[in-house]
Amino acid sequence: QIKENKMKNILARGGIEFLAVFLGIALSLYVDEWREENQIRERLMADYHSIQKDLDIDIPYLEQIIVGQTRGYQNGMGMIQMLDNEESFNYDKFVKSNLFVTSGNTFFGTKASYQASISSGRLTYFGIDSLSNEVGKVYEHHYNRLDLNGLLLDELNFFKLPDINSGPRYLSEKVKQQNLDKIFSPEYYPQLKDFLTLQNSYINKCKWALEQMKKVNALLLYQLNIKS
């Protein structure tokens, strides 16, 4: 009987010790996981800050591009109207308008901070919430579309749109005749129309991107203010 009681006491102590060790290990793992998640949250906040700063730069940059491309499109449509109604054709005005049609820049946004957050897994570590989803729309949807359409617009400008000589001698008889031959050639009108169609589409895509960028910028600022 004494031996049995001793054995029971040993087993009880062993069970308690085992439970204590198990709880200690579980608590240690929990603390480690909690510490790691806290570090990831801090780094994620740093990512949000970096992305927000990138948007602070890209938003006014895109606004300027929209202004420039819109001015170019409006000048181009004025040229089309002159070609549609030859009685209103004004050579001097046409050549000067042509200077603005292709003068606008195209947008290539800053993606470094977003790509760093994605490659590290931090942006989606806690699941794809509404904020990470909205951020993804900016970079994966709008920026990629603007990259592609900007390249198409540049290509159409440099390789397909006929070049009108607008240099100092554009009013000389020889240069003027060369320009008029290009302007009233069968190819010029449809090529100008194609360019303006793509340019108008590009302007609209820029405006949609700008709207999403401003939305995400406001969401990031709100999130950062909560954590500060």
Side-chain angles (χ1 to χ4, degrees):
Q1 184 68 32
I2 294 173
K3 287 183 179 180
E4 286 181 5
N5 288 337
K6 285 183 177 180
M7 183 62 65
K8 287 180 181 179
N9 289 336
I10 291 171
L11 290 174
R13 284 198 300 271
I16 292 171
E17 289 174 0
F18 173 79
L19 181 60
V21 170
F22 175 78
L23 290 174
I25 292 172
L27 182 60
S28 176
L29 290 173
Y30 172 79
V31 169
D32 287 344
E33 184 179 356
W34 176 83
R35 185 182 296 114
E36 182 183 0
E37 288 195 354
N38 263 6
Q39 290 175 347
I40 292 173
R41 286 186 193 278
E42 289 176 3
R43 290 171 186 165
L44 180 59
M45 287 300 112
D47 288 344
Y48 285 165
H49 180 74
S50 297
I51 293 170
Q52 191 274 319
K53 290 302 178 186
D54 286 347
L55 289 174
D56 262 353
I57 296 170
D58 282 353
I59 286 172
Y61 172 41
L62 183 54
E63 287 174 334
Q64 290 176 356
I65 285 172
I66 292 171
V67 170
Q69 290 290 348
T70 300
R71 180 180 63 175
Y73 178 74
Q74 290 169 345
N75 277 273
M77 290 307 297
M79 293 162 66
I80 289 292
Q81 289 173 2
M82 280 191 271
L83 293 176
D84 285 338
N85 182 11
E86 290 189 20
E87 292 180 0
S88 67
F89 182 81
N90 182 308
Y91 172 75
D92 184 53
K93 183 179 179 181
F94 192 94
V95 173
K96 289 179 180 177
S97 294
N98 181 69
L99 287 170
F100 294 105
V101 172
T102 59
S103 64
N105 293 323
T106 48
F107 177 82
F108 294 94
T110 308
K111 302 177 183 177
S113 298
Y114 170 76
Q115 288 172 341
S117 188
I118 283 291
S119 63
S120 69
R122 289 189 294 268
L123 192 63
T124 55
Y125 181 84
F126 299 103
I128 302 177
D129 58 13
S130 59
L131 179 55
S132 62
N133 185 51
E134 295 296 337
V135 172
K137 287 179 184 178
V138 169
Y139 293 96
E140 301 295 343
H141 178 65
H142 291 291
Y143 273 36
N144 287 345
R145 289 182 78 192
L146 291 183
D147 284 351
L148 175 60
N149 283 269
L151 288 171
L152 290 173
L153 194 64
D154 289 339
E155 181 181 340
L156 196 59
N157 173 21
F158 289 119
F159 299 109
K160 295 185 179 180
L161 193 62
D163 184 40
I164 301 298
N165 189 338
S166 56
R169 299 180 62 248
Y170 80 96
L171 290 174
S172 70
E173 287 301 319
K174 182 180 179 181
V175 174
K176 181 177 180 179
Q177 190 56 53
Q178 289 173 344
N179 280 341
L180 289 172
D181 289 343
K182 287 182 182 179
I183 292 167
F184 290 104
S185 67
E187 299 84 15
Y188 185 80
Y189 184 93
Q191 288 174 343
L192 178 59
K193 284 282 285 187
D194 287 345
F195 179 83
L196 293 173
T197 298
L198 181 58
Q199 188 176 41
N200 187 49
S201 174
Y202 181 74
I203 291 168
N204 286 330
K205 288 180 176 65
C206 285
K207 290 178 178 177
W208 297 331
L210 182 63
E211 182 180 346
Q212 181 65 18
M213 289 160 69
K214 287 182 175 180
K215 176 181 180 181
V216 168
N217 195 44
L219 289 172
L220 288 171
L221 285 171
Y222 176 75
Q223 187 70 27
L224 290 167
N225 286 334
I226 291 176
K227 298 298 179 180
S228 62

